[in-house]
């Protein structure tokens, strides 16, 4: 990983977490689009975020290739520009008409099984070397501008603003590598593997690149098919290198490698293509060498179970959490759509206010104490019982990607957690249909606790 990130043409070290900066820029861009009446308030609210988290890079080994080369992956689901990138990718994807793309193995199988090759032609696959991190931004810009007539049919945004949004989504690729003591990086070249905009941008760029490559080679190629960055072709055996050179001359950054058939057989996707004596092609299901080996030996997942770094608890949002009382067995179950650290900070602030008032001699009969007791059940319990809570030991009970699910999840946990100080009205949203399941779950948890004791 260290050697990989020392590629200073692709990555640049930065001294701090850029989440706050990119989050602010993202929301500012969305507001501008909304102010221009190009987005309704509901759509704009979905594109803004206030709970973004810095993405964490991990490398996925290509276990079936010699030397175990790595594929860098940066999951961006909680990144500042994730929803905006999805918004742009939908516009681009809707506008793209591909001549060469196939949807998957079954559609390719139907195509290749009806193929009859000219005499002297053999099967070839061509692969792009690290496509996402090899696409220059200026090439993306040229592609967007060249295809604007198609793109503008699917968006009211003007070309200059659309490119500004696209450029921001590309430039806001950053991450932390927790394996290297939390070092932060920006990606300064190419697009990130994990950004929802990257696949469709790569698709568009590849379409133009293939058009240019086919136009510059003297050989007529009528059977090119593409799946992401894997190309299938049938070529005259003596012209394979010439075609490869033509592809590699299109852009210095996007380079291709070739794999020729051996003994009339060529692996492609999850199939083995077999060229028969009559120049037709049949298919057989194919397993990469690592697939059968993993059944008998330890696989990557068992050897490296923590390849993906977990988001720290305090950085997580849309969670149901529990805070235990330090002086009795009571606890509080709450929920928050904010980052957990922001919610705990609010609890601490309320507790500090209470302690200040108590030290000034106020009691629960005074209006100022009564007012603050109404804020949360935590403060209410602390004021009445003169107890404190283990706020720094807050634990997460549940999490969800959909904020609308939180009230039900919270109600379920309040219902099933012993000695909660929550108000009974906190479970009003819980439908009676949940009762049977929660009773079964509660008994199961009690049995588990009994075994542990």
């Amino acid at each position: 990983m260290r050697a990989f990130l020392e590629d200073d043409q692709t990555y640049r070290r930065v001294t701090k977490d850029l989440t706050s900066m990119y989050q602010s820029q993202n929301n500012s861009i969305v507001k501008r689009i909304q102010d221009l009446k190009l987005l309704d308030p509901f759509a704009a609210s979905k594109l803004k975020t206030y709970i973004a988290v810095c993405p964490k890079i991990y490398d996925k080994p290509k276990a079936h290739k010699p030397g175990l080369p790595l594929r860098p992956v940066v999951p961006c689901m909680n990144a500042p520009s994730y929803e905006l990138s999805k918004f742009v990718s939908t516009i681009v994807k809707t506008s793209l008409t591909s001549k060469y793309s196939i949807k998957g193995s079954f559609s390719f199988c139907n195509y290749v099984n009806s193929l009859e090759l000219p005499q002297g032609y053999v099967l070839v696959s061509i692969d792009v070397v690290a496509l996402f991190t090899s696409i220059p931004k200026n090439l993306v810009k040229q592609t967007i501008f060249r295809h604007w007539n198609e793109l503008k049919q699917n968006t009211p945004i003007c070309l200059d603003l659309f490119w500004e949004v696209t450029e921001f989504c590309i430039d806001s690729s950053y991450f932390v590598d927790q394996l290297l003591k939390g070092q932060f990086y920006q990606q300064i070249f190419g697009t990130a593997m994990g950004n929802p905009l990257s696949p469709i941008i790569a698709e568009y760029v590849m379409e133009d690149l293939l058009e240019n490559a086919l136009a510059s080679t003297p050989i007529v190629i009528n059977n090119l098919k593409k799946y992401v960055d894997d190309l299938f072709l049938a070529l005259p055996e003596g012209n394979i290198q010439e075609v490869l050179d033509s592809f590699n001359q299109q852009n210095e950054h996007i380079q291709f490698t070739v794999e020729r058939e051996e003994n009339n057989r060529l692996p492609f996707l999850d199939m083995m293509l077999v060229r028969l004596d009559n120049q037709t092609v049949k298919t057989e299901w194919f397993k990469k060498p690592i697939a059968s080996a993993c059944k008998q030996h330890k696989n990557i997942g068992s050897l490296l179970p923590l390849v993906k770094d977990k988001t720290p608890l305090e950085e997580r949002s849309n969670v149901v959490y529990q805070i235990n009382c330090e002086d009795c067995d009571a606890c509080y179950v709450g929920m928050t759509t904010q980052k957990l650290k922001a919610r705990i900070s609010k609890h601490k602030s309320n507790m500090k206010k209470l302690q200040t008032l108590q030290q000034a001699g106020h009691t629960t009969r005074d209006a100022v104490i009564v007012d603050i007791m109404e804020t949360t059940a935590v403060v209410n319990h602390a004021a009445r019982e003169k107890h404190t809570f283990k706020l720094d030991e807050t634990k997460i009970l549940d999490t969800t990607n959909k904020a609308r699910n939180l009230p039900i999840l919270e109600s379920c946990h309040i219902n099933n957690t012993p000695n909660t100080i929550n108000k009974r009205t906190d479970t009003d949203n819980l439908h009676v249909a949940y009762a049977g399941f929660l009773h079964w779950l509660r008994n199961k948890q009690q049995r588990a606790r009994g075994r542990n004791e």
Side-chain angles (χ1 to χ4, degrees), residues 6-244:
E6 285 177 354
D7 173 10
D8 58 6
Q9 301 301 307
T10 305
Y11 304 106
R12 177 173 59 205
R13 288 192 179 196
V14 291
T15 57
K16 62 179 182 179
D17 187 348
L18 303 177
T19 300
S20 179
M21 179 186 74
Y22 284 139
Q23 181 172 273
S24 177
Q25 291 177 4
N26 179 87
N27 294 346
S28 177
I29 288 173
V30 174
K31 185 178 184 303
R32 283 173 53 204
I33 300 174
Q34 183 183 0
D35 290 345
L36 291 169
K37 309 298 183 184
L38 303 177
L39 277 177
D40 63 69
F42 177 74
S45 68
K46 291 182 65 177
L47 300 182
K48 293 178 181 178
T49 181
Y50 301 95
I51 55 174
V53 177
C54 180
K56 289 165 280 295
I57 192 172
Y58 71 95
D59 283 326
K60 187 175 182 181
K62 301 178 183 179
H64 60 287
K65 291 192 175 182
L68 288 177
L70 301 176
R71 176 186 288 115
V73 182
V74 183
C76 299
M77 287 79 72
N78 296 312
S81 61
Y82 179 73
E83 292 298 333
L84 190 58
S85 294
K86 283 175 60 179
F87 171 75
V88 175
S89 70
T90 299
I91 296 170
V92 178
K93 186 174 183 179
T94 306
S95 309
L96 174 64
T97 302
S98 174
K99 290 184 180 180
Y100 309 108
S101 290
I102 52 174
K103 294 182 178 180
S105 299
F106 285 102
S107 60
F108 178 71
C109 184
N110 291 332
Y111 164 78
V112 80
N113 278 326
S114 63
L115 195 61
E116 185 172 346
L117 308 180
Q119 288 298 321
Y121 276 58
V122 296
L123 305 176
V124 172
S125 69
I126 295 179
D127 181 39
V128 185
V129 180
L131 175 60
F132 285 10
T133 54
S134 300
I135 300 176
K137 190 168 64 175
N138 68 322
L139 190 56
V140 178
K141 184 175 183 179
Q142 292 171 15
T143 302
I144 294 292
F145 278 57
R146 186 180 299 117
H147 292 278
W148 182 243
N149 283 336
E150 302 108 80
L151 288 163
K152 70 180 182 181
Q153 305 301 319
N154 296 298
T155 179
I157 301 173
C158 69
L159 174 57
D160 288 343
L161 181 54
F162 187 81
W163 170 245
E164 182 183 342
V165 175
T166 304
E167 185 176 33
F168 167 72
C169 292
I170 295 172
D171 288 345
S172 59
S173 295
Y174 75 114
F175 54 86
V176 62
D177 184 355
Q178 292 186 335
L179 292 176
L180 301 180
K181 299 181 180 180
Q183 175 64 55
F184 294 97
Y185 292 85
Q186 270 183 308
Q187 184 167 337
I188 57 176
F189 193 90
T191 60
M193 181 84 171
N195 185 324
L197 183 56
S198 296
I200 191 62
I201 286 293
E203 186 95 356
Y204 238 124
V205 168
M206 281 288 288
E207 285 290 317
D208 280 4
L209 189 145
L210 292 178
E211 285 284 353
N212 294 335
L214 295 178
S216 65
T217 181
I219 302 162
V220 177
I221 302 174
N222 297 317
N223 44 41
L224 187 151
K225 292 296 177 183
K226 171 172 66 71
Y227 183 75
V228 190
D229 57 354
D230 292 323
L231 309 178
F232 164 81
L233 305 90
L235 298 172
E237 191 165 11
N239 297 107
I240 294 175
Q241 188 60 45
E242 183 180 4
V243 172
L244 180 64

Side-chain angles (χ1 to χ4, degrees), residues 408-435:
I408 295 297
L409 287 174
E410 181 194 41
S411 296
C412 288
H413 283 285
I414 292 172
N415 188 83
N416 267 26
T417 304
N419 305 316
T420 62
I421 58 174
N422 296 76
K423 299 175 182 178
R424 291 304 94 194
T425 54
D426 289 344
T427 58
D428 286 348
N429 290 328
L430 197 58
H431 194 276
V432 67
Y434 288 92

Side-chain angles (χ1 to χ4, degrees), residues 322-333 377-378 381-382 384-385 387-390 395 417-422:
Q322 178 178 322
I323 308 172
N324 292 328
C325 179
E326 194 165 342
D327 301 295
C328 68
D329 60 358
C331 67
Y332 172 75
V333 174
V378 171
H381 179 84
R384 285 187 296 102
E385 305 296 336
H387 287 181
T388 57
F389 280 81
K390 302 176 182 179
K395 63 180 180 180
T417 304
N419 305 316
T420 62
I421 58 174
N422 296 76

Side-chain angles (χ1 to χ4, degrees), residues 327-390:
D327 301 295
C328 68
D329 60 358
C331 67
Y332 172 75
V333 174
M335 70 175 189
T336 180
T337 57
Q338 300 175 306
K339 290 182 180 180
L340 183 60
K341 65 180 181 182
R343 186 68 183 122
I344 297 306
S345 176
K346 184 64 175 176
H347 280 300
K348 288 181 177 180
S349 176
N350 289 335
M351 291 292 288
K352 187 174 181 180
K353 289 179 183 177
L354 174 64
Q355 291 168 2
T356 301
L357 291 171
Q358 288 174 332
Q359 290 169 0
H362 292 284
T363 69
T364 55
R365 289 174 292 183
D366 297 332
V368 288
I369 294 285
V370 172
D371 286 344
I372 198 170
M373 287 174 65
E374 292 296 320
T375 56
T376 68
V378 171
V379 178
N380 190 293
H381 179 84
R384 285 187 296 102
E385 305 296 336
K386 295 185 178 179
H387 287 181
T388 57
F389 280 81
K390 302 176 182 179

